[in-house]
Amino acid sequence: MNNNNENSLWVERYRPFGLEGYVGNEHIIEKVKIYIENNDVPHLLLHGDAGTGKTTLAKIIVNSIDCDYLYINASDERGIDTLREKIRGFAASVGFKTWKVVILDESDYLTRDAQAALRNLMETFSKSTRFIENNLQNCSTDTSLQFSGKSNSFTSSSISIVTLIISFCFILLFTINIFLLGVFLDKSK
């Protein structure tokens, strides 16, 4: 655990910096360990009740891999201008590390226009930038990690942010198509 006496907020003072200090959600820790060991994190949608460790895990991930990151609290900066200016500028800039990661905390507060723009940004910058989104809404997608203080299993529920699911599915299909194209080209040689 981090014992940062400079911060007066208890939640920040004792927030863990690594997986060794992260308590609970054992079903998620194993998957995240693999991402960190490979220094390759997919786009993630973390969802669950308040206080279950979503933001903490996102911060642990970015502190554990070779990346530059941008943190945005979408409940404060939820409009399309934030996506166009801050996120696009960050994703398009030259980085000094392997990855760029955008943490969108409370992404369920994004406006509809911002959600549509986010999909485009995820597609455009998928080679170098990953998105970790936290929200309180329930999700129904394999790319989401369900947080719970009581359960050690994945759960599947409904989601009200359909755009996020579409974005993740599109990126997955795009990745599969690239892979299949590579296999086809290798066989044609």
Side-chain angles (χ1 to χ4, degrees), residues 38 97 132:
N38 294 331
K97 299 193 176 178
I132 300 176

Side-chain angles (χ1 to χ4, degrees), residues 3-78:
N3 193 0
N4 180 0
N5 291 325
E6 295 175 11
N7 200 321
S8 62
L9 291 175
W10 187 89
V11 68
E12 293 299 330
R13 182 181 292 181
Y14 296 102
R15 184 185 301 270
F17 277 127
L19 284 177
E20 65 281 347
Y22 188 78
V23 178
N25 297 308
E26 288 83 13
H27 59 291
I28 294 172
I29 292 173
E30 295 306 315
K31 288 191 177 285
V32 171
K33 279 182 184 177
I34 295 168
Y35 300 151
I36 291 172
E37 287 170 5
N38 294 331
N39 195 42
D40 187 14
V41 176
H43 298 296
L44 294 174
L45 176 59
L46 310 176
H47 64 97
D49 295 332
T52 55
K54 300 177 300 294
T55 301
T56 296
L57 185 61
K59 289 181 177 183
I60 287 172
I61 291 170
V62 298
N63 288 323
S64 300
I65 64 171
D66 186 35
C67 74
D68 293 319
Y69 75 94
L70 173 67
Y71 175 87
I72 293 180
N73 188 323
S75 66
D76 295 331
E77 303 177 82
R78 54 189 238 126

Side-chain angles (χ1 to χ4, degrees), residues 91-153:
S93 66
V94 175
F96 297 103
K97 299 193 176 178
T98 306
W99 295 105
K100 293 180 190 174
V101 178
V102 176
I103 298 175
L104 277 170
D105 205 5
E106 301 183 34
S107 63
D108 44 337
Y109 286 101
L110 290 172
T111 64
R112 288 184 187 265
D113 289 341
Q115 291 174 36
L118 177 62
R119 175 180 174 224
N120 184 321
L121 290 173
M122 291 172 76
E123 295 165 3
T124 302
F125 297 105
S126 64
K127 286 187 178 182
S128 62
T129 306
R130 297 294 184 257
F131 291 81
I132 300 176
E133 302 174 38
N134 305 342
N135 74 42
L136 298 174
Q137 301 288 336
N138 290 322
C139 300
S140 175
T141 174
D142 291 338
T143 58
S144 67
L145 301 177
Q146 173 69 42
F147 283 70
S148 170
K150 300 175 186 170
S151 172
N152 287 336
S153 61

